[in-house]
Amino acid sequence: MKIKPVRGTHDIFGEEIKKFNKIISEVKNTAQKFGFKELMTPIFESSELFKKPLGEHSDVVLKEMYTFNDRNKDEITLRPEYTTPMIRAAISNGLLNNLPAKFFGTGQMFRRERPQKGRYRQFNQINFENFGSNDFFADIEIICLANILLKNLLPDSNFTLHINSLGTRKNLEDYKKVLSKFFNDNKKFLSNESVNKINTNPLRILDSKNNEDKEIISKSPKLIDLISKTDLQNYEEIKKCLIDLDITIFEDPNLVRGLDYYCHTVFEFKTKELGSQDTLIGGGRYDGLIKTLGGKDMPGVGWAGGIERIMLLMKDVPNEESNIHIAILDPSFKIHAIKVFNFLIKNDFSVYWNYKYNLKKSLSLANENKASYLIIVGENEKINNNYSIKNLTNGKQVTVTIDKITDILK
Ligand code: AMP
């Protein structure tokens, strides 16, 4: 019986797992610098956590959720995104008493999308959320954090911050009506896919990837015309600060994001190096969402980034694997070898036991793995209670007792 991986899933190993772990460690580092605390939530939640808040007409809710009934008929969904579970967890555990409350998390998300490069059905996300602050510096801070993280992980890549303001939730509701009317009047210029969204989700037409939609989209009414002066001033300040922080921004009036809960600032870090799945990080403000999920009425701002997409752009991470190998020349010297193995592990060295019991094979494996030293355990070493250490960089070999080994390896 040969079982294949499920479509849209992938295993992570070799060079890729090194990249993955480097991302996680850089995320934790950056979070600590900015004062965000880690919050880990379950992989599945009650379906109702996602259905309404994400938008009943959003692609995720309509087509992509992995939903099933538990044995007692509770409807459960594998989390397709992390913001709503984080809010649910913050409310469930009383973590919103001291504001602002800043959290981050990393983990698997599940969406039944059409798999392609950079798009999977199970993928890993990084999430940063700041609950409880209206201050527009919260928007700047979280964008700045994303920028620093990407710069550290991808020093040789180019990415641009696309930014837009959606105004209040009311502005957005009014805009949807204006947009539905406009696209209804211009139906004949739209692709079939977009026509289907006119009355249910007209905002999604704005980021249609269909070429035939481009011209009519460029002529569509702009949301910015509905936004209040104060909100526009805030938006101007945010952009000014980001430019002062040396972040390359691209103002994108059609950027609306796929989920229903966004308002005011929305943003995406995009790259031209990945083909069609070009968004590395996306996020924005979601004032009102915490109240919808049963918490107090408080604002929030956050983002999610795709770990696999960052991995696609990352260079190989330098080798940090075991750099000392042990060559045991015959299985009968195992007990003598275990003494040195145990001693080195206790002294914080990484040691690789290769199960070869053959000098030539051990040497070739050590060289292949770019080991720095080979410890040889043969008959003489066993009789004299010592060990031979070969420096694989210069080829020199010495024989010493166990208490002298650490001096040589340092
Ligand atoms: P979203 O919640 O759709 O804004 O996604 C946030 C980020 O997660 C995106 O910018 C991608 O980097 C990543 N992402 C979303 N969907 C997928 C997927 N199906 N496969 C891999 N990465 C994804």
Side-chain angles (χ1 to χ4, degrees):
M1 182 167 64
K2 191 172 168 196
I3 300 175
K4 291 197 200 129
V6 175
R7 187 165 141 80
T9 67
H10 63 128
D11 305 304
I12 308 179
F13 56 93
E15 287 305 319
E16 295 306 296
I17 196 77
K18 285 199 252 164
K19 293 180 191 170
F20 184 95
N21 286 332
K22 169 137 197 234
I23 295 173
I24 301 292
S25 108
E26 200 59 47
V27 164
K28 291 189 174 168
N29 229 333
T30 315
Q32 202 253 336
K33 282 189 197 154
F34 281 76
F36 283 69
K37 303 241 159 64
E38 187 160 9
L39 177 56
M40 208 185 272
T41 74
I43 276 175
F44 55 75
E45 299 270 358
S46 297
S47 301
E48 61 181 338
L49 177 63
F50 306 111
K51 275 191 185 160
K52 229 175 145 192
L54 269 52
E56 279 170 306
H57 299 291
S58 65
D59 284 350
V60 172
V61 174
L62 278 180
K63 310 187 271 205
E64 297 169 3
M65 295 207 306
Y66 282 97
T67 296
F68 57 95
N69 285 325
D70 199 356
R71 283 179 187 226
N72 60 3
K73 302 274 184 282
D74 288 339
E75 201 188 74
I76 282 178
T77 295
L78 299 183
R79 61 184 182 199
E81 64 102 49
Y82 218 171
T83 301
T84 44
M86 285 244 187
I87 294 175
R88 200 271 310 132
I91 297 170
S92 305
N93 298 289
L95 304 176
L96 296 174
N97 297 326
N98 289 321
L99 298 175
K102 306 184 191 183
F103 293 106
F104 81 99
T106 56
Q108 294 94 340
M109 305 296 141
F110 304 83
R111 292 184 195 172
R112 202 179 186 290
E113 298 193 82
R114 195 169 44 79
Q116 63 182 94
K117 182 181 165 198
R119 190 159 77 185
Y120 309 93
R121 291 181 173 176
Q122 176 177 323
F123 57 99
N124 290 276
Q125 269 191 351
I126 308 160
N127 243 73
F128 278 84
E129 310 291 348
N130 184 345
F131 304 133
S133 179
N134 248 329
D135 192 322
F136 68 75
F137 194 76
D139 307 33
I140 294 166
E141 178 190 39
I142 216 152
I143 293 174
C144 174
L145 188 158
N147 186 59
I148 287 178
L149 181 67
L150 286 181
K151 279 233 147 77
N152 284 341
L153 289 169
L154 306 171
D156 303 319
S157 284
N158 287 316
F159 43 83
T160 308
L161 174 68
H162 290 230
I163 189 163
N164 188 22
S165 176
L166 303 179
T168 59
R169 300 283 275 260
K170 166 87 172 61
N171 293 153
L172 208 54
E173 284 312 310
D174 292 344
Y175 181 55
K176 279 187 195 166
K177 287 179 196 145
V178 174
L179 215 50
S180 287
K181 177 163 186 333
F182 173 82
F183 285 130
N184 256 318
D185 293 344
N186 292 282
K187 243 185 203 162
K188 57 176 182 289
F189 304 111
L190 283 175
S191 64
N192 284 341
E193 200 182 330
S194 291
V195 168
N196 290 335
K197 293 178 179 159
I198 292 181
N199 296 321
T200 52
N201 203 354
L203 290 176
R204 293 311 297 174
I205 300 178
L206 297 180
D207 57 11
S208 154
K209 294 210 158 80
N210 262 316
N211 276 335
E212 54 181 306
D213 294 335
K214 297 244 154 83
E215 198 182 329
I216 195 68
I217 289 171
S218 70
K219 293 181 186 151
S220 64
K222 298 291 170 248
L223 171 60
I224 207 144
D225 298 329
L226 302 180
I227 299 177
S228 76
K229 263 206 175 117
T230 327
D231 285 344
L232 282 180
Q233 263 166 7
N234 270 347
Y235 181 43
E236 286 308 314
E237 290 287 339
I238 290 173
K239 285 185 292 185
K240 207 163 136 282
C241 287
L242 291 171
I243 294 167
D244 285 349
L245 286 168
D246 266 346
I247 300 179
T248 322
I249 66 169
F250 172 79
E251 268 189 79
D252 184 351
N254 290 336
L255 177 68
V256 288
R257 311 271 307 125
L259 308 174
D260 258 15
Y261 52 60
Y262 288 108
C263 57
H264 298 295
T265 321
V266 285
F267 56 89
E268 287 184 347
F269 281 89
K270 284 175 172 275
T271 172
K272 293 203 165 73
E273 297 162 39
L274 276 183
S276 70
Q277 300 307 306
D278 57 357
T279 308
L280 294 171
I281 282 179
R285 264 206 175 265
Y286 41 79
D287 303 351
L289 179 61
I290 298 173
K291 185 168 175 230
T292 307
L293 296 175
K296 287 197 188 124
D297 191 7
M298 67 175 80
V301 58
W303 58 254
I307 293 186
E308 281 81 356
R309 290 197 195 165
I310 297 175
M311 280 162 65
L312 281 170
L313 295 180
M314 253 170 110
K315 291 242 159 69
D316 282 355
V317 178
N319 232 344
E320 279 166 16
E321 277 167 13
S322 298
N323 65 353
I324 301 171
H325 277 223
I326 301 193
I328 306 164
L329 305 193
D330 184 274
S332 60
F333 311 140
K334 270 187 211 169
I335 303 291
H336 187 47
I338 281 172
K339 284 189 212 150
V340 74
F341 183 77
N342 190 29
F343 175 80
L344 290 173
I345 295 283
K346 276 193 179 151
N347 281 283
D348 246 8
F349 289 93
S350 9
V351 199
Y352 192 78
W353 187 291
N354 66 24
Y355 303 95
K356 299 275 182 228
Y357 310 111
N358 172 302
L359 184 58
K360 218 170 144 202
K361 285 184 186 165
S362 297
L363 196 56
S364 109
L365 187 75
N367 282 324
E368 208 175 286
N369 287 3
K370 300 194 173 65
S372 322
Y373 293 95
L374 183 68
I375 300 190
I376 301 165
V377 189
E379 183 146 27
N380 285 341
E381 285 82 3
K382 189 185 162 194
I383 293 170
N384 300 319
N385 197 21
N386 55 24
Y387 300 93
S388 296
I389 300 165
K390 191 175 180 65
N391 180 325
L392 296 174
T393 319
N394 60 20
K396 286 191 183 144
Q397 189 170 318
V398 289
T399 302
V400 292
T401 49
I402 206 163
D403 53 317
K404 300 281 178 336
I405 284 187
T406 52
D407 295 341
I408 294 171
L409 297 179
K410 268 173 198 155

